[in-house]
Amino acid sequence: MFAREKVRDLFARLSTSALCRRDVPIENAKDAIGWWETRRVPFNLIVGSAGILTCIVVSVVALGDYFLFDGEFGFPDPPLFALVGIVLYGILANVCFSVGWLAELIVRKIWPGEADRFSTLSFSLGLIFSVLLTLTPAIVIGSAGMSALIGDLF
């Protein structure tokens, strides 16, 4: 129950933040796209920060496995594959971000009264989902690395 309350509190704080709220109703497609595009850089910085943390965790686990246990976890061979994957992930995250304002334009045509609510909700949920998706490898690989370390020590 405590975790659910924390998630609700986090979502409530995020959805009322200046990044996610809309103070003035949007009247046309140009302004709707503009609202989304002014949030692209902060979105990329937030998701990119989660990506940097993920890269650090994965690198520490891989290097620890290599140096402490002479393991084969390691990095892709050649390491350029990892960089290509990171760049592709960033491109796809921005494509998905653009789908957000495209979806808003569709909602604006079908349910004009709900478009502003839809956009703020979809941006907030999209940001949370993107950060969690980006952190997933760190959580999975970090947990696997910790359990392997504990298993080898005991």
Side-chain angles (χ1 to χ4, degrees):
M1 190 77 120
F2 180 71
R4 185 178 292 171
E5 291 172 5
K6 283 289 214 185
V7 170
R8 283 186 184 152
D9 182 52
L10 174 67
F11 182 71
R13 289 188 350 194
L14 178 65
S15 62
T16 59
S17 72
L19 181 64
C20 297
R21 81 173 174 256
R22 216 177 239 182
D23 295 326
V24 178
I26 302 292
E27 299 298 326
N28 57 48
K30 180 182 173 189
D31 291 342
I33 294 170
W35 182 86
W36 281 88
E37 291 303 323
T38 58
R39 283 147 181 81
R40 186 179 296 270
V41 171
F43 172 86
N44 283 328
L45 290 173
I46 293 167
V47 174
S49 297
I52 290 170
L53 179 64
T54 293
C55 288
I56 291 169
V57 169
V58 170
S59 297
V60 166
V61 170
L63 291 171
D65 183 54
Y66 180 77
F67 287 115
L68 296 176
F69 306 112
D70 199 27
E72 292 293 323
F73 179 79
F75 296 101
D77 190 28
L80 185 62
F81 287 156
L83 292 175
V84 170
I86 291 168
V87 169
L88 284 175
Y89 185 84
I91 291 170
L92 289 174
N94 278 281
V95 168
C96 291
F97 182 90
S98 296
V99 170
W101 61 255
L102 181 64
E104 179 186 349
L105 296 180
I106 293 168
V107 168
R108 188 166 294 286
K109 287 286 185 194
I110 298 171
W111 302 289
E114 297 296 320
D116 289 333
R117 183 168 174 250
F118 172 82
S119 63
T120 57
L121 183 64
S122 62
F123 178 79
S124 300
L125 291 174
L127 180 61
I128 291 169
F129 177 76
S130 298
V131 169
L132 290 176
L133 183 64
T134 305
L135 290 174
T136 298
I139 295 166
V140 171
I141 292 171
S143 299
M146 290 300 293
S147 69
L149 178 63
I150 291 169
D152 283 344
L153 291 177
F154 297 107

